[in-house]
Amino acid sequence: MLKWIIACSLLSPLAVQAQETLVYLSPTGNDANPGTRAQPKATLEGARETWRRNPGKATTIILKGGTYYLDAPFVLTTADNPQHQHFTIKAEPGEKPVISGARKLTANWLDAGNGIWKTSIPAGITEMDRLYVNGKLQISARYPNYDSSARFYHGTAADALSPARIKTWKHPETAIVHALHRAEWGGYHYKVTGVDTQGNAILEGGWQNNRQMGLHPDHRFVENVREELDAPHEWFFDASGHTLYFQPENGKKPSADIAYAATTELIVLKGSMEQPLKNVTVRGITFTGNKRTFMLTKEPLLRSDWTIYRGGAVLVEGAENVAVTNCMFDEVGGNAVFVNNYNRHVRVDSNHIYRAGASGIAFVGSPGAVRSPAFEYNLAVPFSEMDFTPGPKSEDFPKNCSAADNLIQFSGEIEKQSAGVQISISNAIHVAHNTIHNVPRAGINVSEGTFGGHLIERNDVYNTVLETGDHGAFNSWGRDRYWHPNRRIMDSATMANIGLTKLDILGTTVLRENRFRCDHGWDIDLDDGSSYYDIYDNVCLNGGLKLREGFFRRVHHNLMINNTFHPHVWFANSNDEFTANVVTTDYKPIQVNVWGKKVDNNFFPDKASLEAARQRGTDKNSYVLDLQFRDFKKGDYRLKPSSMPGKITYRDFPVDNFGTRIAAYKKLAAPVPLPAILLSAASSKGDLLEWKGAKVKNIEGLGERSATGLPDEKGAYFVTVPENSDAWKAGLRTNDVLLKLDGQPVNSVKTFLSVYQPIAWRTNLKAVVFRNQREQEITLANK
């Protein structure tokens, strides 16, 4: 054996290369070539026979720089690697190959008037989903026009589907409708199939959300309508006339280099639970140009709010020991990477995912692996018919897989019920060191407790829930086997047998050392029965932490800046623990009569907050803590030596180990919006808080009372509200004094934030302001 090891170590590079099949590709190559560096092949399909002739060897496919346009998704199966040798598809070092789902066209532009140009399209092309001109993605003709500053869908309008507007469309049946869910829990998408006798659109679709409530009355837009082509970068394809219309930015004749999205998946790595595809790596490739998938997103995911499309730019199914690493996903149409059904040791790491149409990375198992599944919030399998066998029914789900060191930006471009990382019907998923920001809903979402055991650590998740509400930067549901829509039935069943709550749980899910920020909900939101969690050493920057219903959650050693603990509707025997946490406002309980196993040894900002907790029967041994952070404005939340609390047990929080560790990705990430001031530590004199772009402070002295006309010093004084700030868009103006919010009095800046934070997820808030020497009732558009 020793001789064999020494012999292997002495092999020359040429000898090692002989153990491996190398195939080179180039966009300018030819599939008739042998696939050498000097004579590369042109396509992955063309290279297939080369590696299949050498089944006993490792295989490396090396892509030279340039764009590879696919006629169909490239599918790699167990037949391509029957002996499970290492199989790699990678970039030539120093080069940037692009795999595109678009198809190129030759344009012969003719002037169509009003700054619009047209070109004929071959008759065989019957639809276009996305158009690229000179390699840049353009905008399907839409109403209202694209507005990069708009919160929802880059611009929405209540009259987008009004009969009056529809009357102006010669062919309404081309229109596509996008709208928020009525409760802002994701979105809906429809095709217009016709118009009824009252002039209303007849819609097909709306299956993209598993909690049906209908379209939002205001936040909707239409696209793919010829009459709405009226702005730069907009286009429309007239399939019946085989004509493409386009309005360039400067009105000049556009480039002849055009392409349209033609495929959905780009690379599919496909095995099965019985015959898994093994030992495959995809490295250093850019993926782009594929179709959007919003009309394919229709399969309900158990009783979460989600439906899903089981596909992505890279789809991994039935695989073991697979890696998708160091790749770029550039405005892909749907999910970037989808890990589907049976998978083991699949890692998705060190990728940059930019403006994915749906989720960044999804791990989703088969409902067939779940015992007694139900598929909608209001449905349940009767206990008399339930399978009470613990654990999964089969192994057809992702397990021991990971997502690490990825930069996920602006995902959910069109599909709002999406996440940076989505987990459903999976076990032991490791989500670590990802930077996730500017997403419409959760940064990390766990759809249900099947099958738990995940480790979620050291992620940096911020600018989340930007286009929806009632959600979290980290969000989970727990509507598992025991869950019942009738709370009385569920109370009775779990009191009689608390073991029901663990039937679908293979392990505790751990959230540790993450930094979360949410501005329209909670930083950490464990909703509807989320159970068996251990949550510690997390920094919550804005929205606090919520536990709704559920069992056996242990929350300890977390820091909640400018917010607090939100316990909602607990079970009598929840066994929850909330200990050694730092809150900076009073708790915000809703319908909590029994406070779990233990709520104690926590740190409060003042005596009033601690006393309020004690009056509810908690926190007998908790403390008031003078929080003197080392550098609050820079996010260093370690305590200064002068603030260390003597004999009290206290440990500092992590400050510099969040998010991706890749230097290039760190430079590309948006800045983290750290809080500018700690409200509980602010003095009553002169402190200015920045809130949605406005400067707000307490009313102080006769001068400010006189300037505003107030009879006393109560209220939150908006000293400056710049035009186009979010505070201005909400309806506030310079010199407004906010006196009431949601029916509750606002006596100071601190009470304003205390009232606002629990309802931050709501879109419209009733308020009373003192403006122009009198009280006025207004509605704040909480955007």
Side-chain angles (χ1 to χ4, degrees):
M1 177 63 76
L2 181 60
K3 291 181 180 179
W4 182 85
I5 294 173
I6 294 172
C8 287
S9 68
L10 296 176
L11 286 174
S12 69
L14 290 177
V16 173
Q17 188 169 323
Q19 312 295 316
E20 182 179 25
T21 299
L22 298 179
V23 185
Y24 287 85
L25 302 184
S26 170
T28 59
N30 191 308
D31 282 344
N33 288 343
T36 61
R37 177 177 266 124
Q39 294 181 292
K41 290 184 176 290
T43 69
L44 289 164
E45 290 288 357
R48 191 187 297 272
E49 289 308 313
T50 300
W51 72 68
R52 281 190 173 178
R53 287 196 298 267
N54 299 281
K57 291 184 178 182
T59 298
T60 299
I61 313 301
I62 302 170
L63 279 65
K64 293 175 176 285
T67 301
Y68 299 80
Y69 293 96
L70 301 183
D71 292 326
F74 175 72
V75 182
L76 190 73
T77 71
T78 50
D80 293 294
N81 192 23
Q83 298 184 27
H84 309 309
Q85 300 291 329
H86 288 287
F87 193 108
T88 303
I89 302 172
K90 70 175 187 178
E92 174 85 271
E95 300 195 20
K96 295 182 179 181
V98 177
I99 292 179
S100 174
R103 290 182 187 164
K104 300 193 74 173
L105 294 170
T106 299
N108 182 22
W109 295 108
L110 300 174
D111 192 342
N114 298 319
I116 297 171
W117 295 76
K118 65 181 181 180
T119 184
S120 60
I121 296 296
I125 299 172
T126 58
E127 64 175 21
M128 285 188 184
D129 176 61
R130 309 173 91 194
L131 178 71
Y132 299 82
V133 176
N134 236 11
K136 300 293 184 182
L137 184 62
Q138 306 300 311
I139 301 166
S140 179
R142 54 170 285 165
Y143 174 81
N145 288 335
Y146 186 96
D147 177 1
S148 61
S149 67
R151 177 182 171 191
F152 303 105
Y153 286 116
H154 305 297
T156 57
D159 67 340
L161 273 181
S162 68
R165 179 158 293 279
I166 292 172
K167 268 186 185 179
T168 67
W169 303 341
K170 187 176 180 181
H171 295 289
E173 68 277 5
T174 67
I176 297 171
V177 181
H178 307 277
L180 278 192
H181 184 281
R182 185 172 291 273
E184 299 184 0
W185 298 340
Y188 291 117
H189 312 273
Y190 303 84
K191 290 183 177 179
V192 175
T193 60
V195 179
D196 66 18
T197 56
Q198 284 76 45
N200 296 304
I202 301 171
L203 302 178
E204 176 187 345
W207 43 64
Q208 296 85 0
N209 198 291
N210 204 26
R211 295 284 299 275
Q212 289 293 323
M213 292 185 182
L215 290 74
H216 196 285
D218 300 319
H219 302 309
R220 48 177 70 177
F221 80 98
V222 294
E223 64 171 347
N224 203 42
V225 178
R226 171 66 179 90
E227 287 77 10
E228 304 298 349
L229 202 170
D230 59 0
H233 300 289
E234 287 192 346
W235 63 275
F236 175 77
F237 174 52
D238 176 7
S240 61
H242 311 298
T243 303
L244 173 66
Y245 297 87
F246 176 61
Q247 182 171 333
E249 186 171 23
N250 55 15
K252 295 180 180 179
K253 187 175 182 178
S255 167
D257 181 7
I258 64 172
Y260 71 99
T263 62
T264 303
E265 280 71 53
L266 299 177
I267 286 186
V268 177
L269 307 178
K270 189 173 179 62
S272 66
M273 186 163 53
E274 297 74 22
Q275 292 185 307
L277 177 66
K278 297 183 180 181
N279 303 325
V280 176
T281 298
V282 179
R283 178 184 293 117
I285 311 295
T286 294
F287 297 95
T288 192
N290 60 337
K291 295 167 68 173
R292 298 178 297 178
T293 57
F294 55 83
M295 290 305 290
L296 301 174
T297 302
K298 57 176 64 176
E299 178 192 338
L301 276 182
L302 298 184
R303 284 183 284 184
S304 78
D305 293 0
W306 282 58
T307 63
I308 203 80
Y309 170 64
R310 293 178 182 270
V314 173
L315 171 62
V316 185
E317 180 175 329
E320 297 178 3
N321 300 312
V322 163
V324 180
T325 180
N326 292 101
C327 293
M328 169 71 181
F329 294 84
D330 186 8
E331 297 188 88
V332 295
N335 304 307
V337 181
F338 199 99
V339 182
N340 188 47
N341 292 340
Y342 176 85
N343 284 280
R344 298 293 185 270
H345 304 288
V346 172
R347 60 182 178 90
V348 184
D349 69 78
S350 308
N351 301 289
H352 182 193
I353 298 173
Y354 177 77
R355 290 196 186 278
S359 292
I361 302 166
F363 301 93
V364 183
S366 168
V370 180
R371 299 181 189 275
S372 300
F375 292 93
E376 204 274 335
Y377 178 88
N378 295 298
L379 300 177
V381 175
F383 288 109
S384 60
E385 301 173 15
M386 187 172 290
D387 180 351
F388 290 101
T389 307
K393 190 175 181 180
S394 78
E395 293 295 310
D396 200 10
F397 55 87
K399 182 176 181 178
N400 295 325
C401 298
S402 64
D405 275 305
N406 300 285
L407 171 60
I408 303 173
Q409 303 173 288
F410 309 98
S411 61
E413 178 70 7
I414 195 70
E415 298 187 46
K416 303 309 175 187
Q417 191 64 277
S418 58
V421 177
Q422 158 70 352
I423 302 172
S424 175
I425 316 176
S426 299
N427 172 235
I429 305 301
H430 188 198
V431 182
H433 281 292
N434 299 285
T435 297
I436 304 170
H437 69 79
N438 289 78
V439 294
R441 205 140 172 76
I444 301 172
N445 187 77
V446 179
S447 278
E448 73 292 306
T450 52
F451 295 102
H454 313 303
L455 174 57
I456 299 169
E457 61 178 345
R458 302 185 181 98
N459 300 283
D460 209 2
V461 184
Y462 53 98
N463 294 351
T464 61
V465 196
L466 292 182
E467 296 183 64
T468 58
D470 193 8
H471 211 51
F474 172 84
N475 181 82
S476 67
W477 291 289
R479 303 165 192 156
D480 306 332
R481 206 183 320 180
Y482 75 91
W483 184 265
H484 199 285
N486 186 319
R487 177 61 189 263
R488 291 182 183 177
I489 293 174
M490 190 162 47
D491 280 340
S492 176
T494 54
M495 284 298 289
N497 181 8
I498 200 169
L500 294 174
T501 65
K502 203 174 182 181
L503 288 176
D504 289 319
I505 303 290
L506 294 179
T508 296
T509 292
V510 175
L511 260 70
R512 68 183 183 194
E513 298 183 22
N514 302 281
R515 183 167 60 182
F516 293 116
R517 177 166 180 139
C518 177
D519 286 276
H520 297 96
W522 298 270
D523 296 335
I524 299 175
D525 183 359
L526 270 63
D527 207 1
D528 285 0
S530 300
S531 300
Y532 298 92
Y533 275 78
D534 191 9
I535 303 174
Y536 61 91
D537 285 343
N538 299 284
V539 174
C540 298
L541 292 175
N542 185 72
L545 183 149
K546 169 186 157 192
L547 299 182
R548 181 183 172 94
E549 298 163 307
F551 297 87
F552 295 98
R553 282 87 57 97
R554 185 168 176 249
V555 180
H556 55 105
H557 298 98
N558 299 281
L559 172 63
M560 296 161 218
I561 299 293
N562 293 340
N563 213 307
T564 190
F565 178 37
H566 299 257
H568 291 185
V569 201
W570 279 13
F571 290 96
N573 59 339
S574 71
N575 283 279
D576 287 335
E577 298 180 46
F578 185 83
T579 61
N581 300 284
V582 178
V583 299
T584 49
T585 66
D586 184 19
Y587 296 164
K588 304 298 179 185
I590 296 176
Q591 298 181 38
V592 178
N593 300 315
V594 180
W595 284 81
K597 183 177 180 180
K598 185 178 182 181
V599 179
D600 206 354
N601 302 109
N602 297 296
F603 301 96
F604 287 79
D606 50 56
K607 290 182 180 179
S609 298
L610 175 56
E611 184 57 31
R614 286 176 173 170
Q615 288 181 6
R616 300 186 194 102
T618 68
D619 293 282
K620 179 180 178 180
N621 300 298
S622 293
Y623 311 93
V624 173
L625 181 63
D626 179 18
L627 292 173
Q628 299 177 32
F629 294 117
R630 293 193 185 185
D631 196 335
F632 182 83
K633 290 186 177 181
K634 292 184 178 180
D636 186 345
Y637 303 128
R638 295 172 295 172
L639 289 186
K640 294 179 180 178
S642 60
S643 182
M644 293 306 290
K647 296 180 181 179
I648 299 171
T649 301
Y650 180 90
R651 73 181 191 219
D652 279 319
F653 294 92
V655 295
D656 59 359
N657 200 24
F658 307 114
T660 180
R661 292 165 291 189
I662 298 172
Y665 291 172
K666 287 182 178 182
K667 292 180 181 179
L668 293 172
V672 180
L674 298 170
I677 189 171
L678 180 65
L679 294 176
S680 60
S683 72
S684 61
K685 297 293 183 182
D687 281 317
L688 278 172
L689 168 75
E690 182 172 322
W691 185 82
K692 295 184 181 291
K695 299 293 186 183
V696 57
K697 67 185 295 293
N698 294 327
I699 292 287
E700 297 171 348
L702 289 174
E704 290 182 352
R705 282 178 53 187
S706 175
T708 57
L710 284 169
D712 51 36
E713 295 187 10
K714 293 181 180 180
Y717 178 26
F718 284 79
V719 181
T720 57
V721 183
E723 288 192 33
N724 296 320
S725 68
D726 286 342
W728 176 280
K729 294 174 184 177
L732 292 165
R733 297 294 180 264
T734 296
N735 290 325
D736 278 354
V737 180
L738 185 64
L739 301 177
K740 286 186 179 180
L741 184 63
D742 196 40
Q744 300 183 60
V746 173
N747 295 327
S748 64
V749 171
K750 186 175 178 179
T751 57
F752 159 52
L753 268 296
S754 180
V755 172
Y756 172 74
Q757 293 289 16
I759 57 174
W761 58 271
R762 285 161 43 184
T763 300
N764 295 312
L765 305 174
K766 297 295 183 182
V768 175
V769 297
F770 202 80
R771 180 186 294 171
N772 298 328
Q773 306 289 313
R774 64 185 180 90
E775 291 187 11
Q776 297 184 33
E777 293 186 359
I778 65 172
T779 298
L780 294 182
N782 186 30
K783 300 178 180 180

